[in-house]
Amino acid sequence: MTLRGRKKGETVPQGVVVRLPVYFRYLAELEAAGAERISSAQLGEALDFTAAQIRSDLSYFGSFGQQGYGYNVTDLLDQVKQILGITRDYSIVLVGAGNLGKAIGSYEWFRDEGFQIKAIFDIDPHLIGNYHVGCIIRPLDELTAYLAENPTDIGIIATPKDAGQSVCDLLVEGGVGSIWNFSPTHLNVPDEVIVEDMHLTDSLLRLVFRLNEQNLGQEQA
Amino acid sequence: MTLRGRKKGETVPQGVVVRLPVYFRYLAELEAAGAERISSAQLGEALDFTAAQIRSDLSYFGSFGQQGYGYNVTDLLDQVKQILGITRDYSIVLVGAGNLGKAIGSYEWFRDEGFQIKAIFDIDPHLIGNYHVGCIIRPLDELTAYLAENPTDIGIIATPKDAGQSVCDLLVEGGVGSIWNFSPTHLNVPDEVIVEDMHLTDSLLRLVFRLNEQNLGQEQA
DNA sequence: TAGATTGTTAATCGATTAACAATC
DNA sequence: TAGATTGTTAATCGATTAACAATC
């Protein structure tokens, strides 16, 4: 990946990382709908961002637009795919084959975009041996041996809270460099390991906080 | 809720809203483990925040600590519950009873904390009429009539992308003030409606971006 | 060409951090 | 009391926005 616009070593702000997938999603929708061009103003209107922010975000990675025209939808989509890194496949292990784990594993979009769940692990004897999305569910005991044989990009933790950290440790020791964490606990990992949290409980609590904040405002008015 | 520390009308920064549920989660763990007191430095150490940030965040809502001592775990947990608003029950409808919808509905924690799924809707004739977590799955046609009879705090959208906006419109027209959105699309709503997005795809893409960003750094080194 | 829109700079805004007086 | 730690202020840092020259 060439980083035309970005100086070497300059880190990308967190906000940009959050917005890039949003751009990707909407550009994919636009392309599917047959749209040819889009301006930063139109993008901003559709996604509730300012046009300046979108141009500023994109300029971290290069110059993808044309004055007086805007952006070509297909070109920009390709660029964003490049930037995000969804140009190759990723190998994944899923730990935890309960309701949530199974739902994650069944998500078609992942498979379509090259995210391949290669193995599933659980501790529940009732689940072990069953098949899910083409994978046999294996005992957690075998995780370490599996990782030694099969280099893995991403580990998904879909276990209850109590098991989160110990499963995380097994994954990290096994050389997995990034963790997608659905277990509702804070994971401690070495600096070089990436953790992306997907805390359903936190999200619902943010919603409730804002709901009350709003009602409070209305009471005072 | 009294807002001792916060001036009227002052809005709470987004970062604080993100961190409050993290504090809640960890304090609940501490209390379950029998811990009596905790300092901002210890909290920061455990959760990878600075002590100053934690004290600053809490001071938006009041003074809950004691110089030379820190915070009493139970007291602070109660205060955070108050702040978040999880002191009453919330009524919920769930739209979409596929894998993800069912997994969300089955999450025990929600029920324990007073989040009550009162009704489930779907369009799939194979699902309609089935029971899930004690609710019969109803046809989406009946959503509007249901909402007219049953005031609802939160609507969960666990449909595919294409149905997201139309289901959202039905919920908003039915008077639902907040939407927990799992469908991978940006929802347009009136200003007063709260949307909390839970985009699995976005989260995975953030992870992949950071994975590549890191690898890039290593190549250059 | 005239109109439109980019990429970028400078100005603004807001959030985080460091430091410390207050005090348990 | 002496030691510890809060709550808050001022300083720093970083992100967003507004504006505009460049140019398609």
Side-chain angles (χ1 to χ4, degrees), chain A residues 1 3 6 8-12 14 17-18 20-22 24-25 28-29 45-48 61 83-86 88 90 92 99-100 102-104 106-107 109-110 115 153-155 159 161 177-188 191-216 218 220, chain B residues 1 3 6 8-12 14 17-18 20-22 24-26 29 45-48 61 83-86 88 90 92 99-100 102-104 106-107 109-110 115 153-155 159 161 177-188 191-216 218 220:
Chain A
M1 181 168 58
L3 299 174
R6 182 149 62 110
K8 253 193 197 172
E10 201 180 339
T11 59
V12 177
Q14 191 54 32
V17 182
V18 169
L20 279 171
V22 181
F24 166 75
R25 220 174 347 98
E29 275 186 38
E45 175 68 22
L47 297 172
D48 296 330
F61 306 100
I83 294 164
L84 286 171
I86 42 180
R88 68 167 179 101
Y90 292 89
I92 299 181
N99 289 312
L100 189 57
K102 277 185 189 152
I104 298 163
S106 311
Y107 218 29
W109 182 87
F110 300 139
F115 295 98
D153 297 308
I154 301 168
T159 67
K161 183 178 59 174
S178 64
I179 308 281
W180 200 20
N181 176 40
F182 287 79
S183 81
T185 192
H186 179 80
L187 299 177
N188 290 108
D191 281 348
E192 72 276 11
V193 174
I194 292 160
V195 175
E196 171 69 30
D197 286 310
M198 201 68 193
H199 291 315
L200 301 213
T201 54
D202 289 23
S203 176
L204 185 56
L205 291 174
R206 291 194 292 271
L207 182 149
V208 168
F209 175 82
R210 292 198 282 150
L211 193 61
N212 285 291
E213 192 181 32
Q214 194 188 61
N215 291 343
L216 207 75
Q218 285 172 351
Q220 285 172 351
Chain B
M1 181 167 61
L3 300 174
R6 181 149 61 110
K8 255 191 197 173
E10 202 180 336
T11 60
V12 177
Q14 191 54 34
V17 182
V18 169
L20 279 171
V22 182
F24 167 74
R25 219 175 348 96
Y26 188 64
E29 275 186 38
E45 175 68 22
L47 297 172
D48 295 330
F61 307 100
I83 292 164
L84 286 170
I86 43 180
R88 68 167 178 99
Y90 291 89
I92 300 181
N99 289 313
L100 189 57
K102 278 185 188 150
I104 298 163
S106 311
Y107 219 29
W109 182 87
F110 299 140
F115 295 97
D153 297 307
I154 301 168
T159 67
K161 182 178 60 172
S178 63
I179 309 281
W180 200 19
N181 177 41
F182 286 79
S183 81
T185 192
H186 179 80
L187 298 177
N188 289 108
D191 282 347
E192 73 275 13
V193 174
I194 291 160
V195 176
E196 171 68 30
D197 285 311
M198 201 68 193
H199 291 314
L200 301 213
T201 55
D202 289 22
S203 176
L204 185 56
L205 292 174
R206 290 194 292 271
L207 182 150
V208 169
F209 175 82
R210 290 199 281 151
L211 193 61
N212 286 292
E213 192 181 31
Q214 196 188 60
N215 292 343
L216 207 75
Q218 285 171 351
Q220 287 171 352

Side-chain angles (χ1 to χ4, degrees), chain A residues 91-93 125 148:
Chain A
S91 58
I92 299 181
V93 298

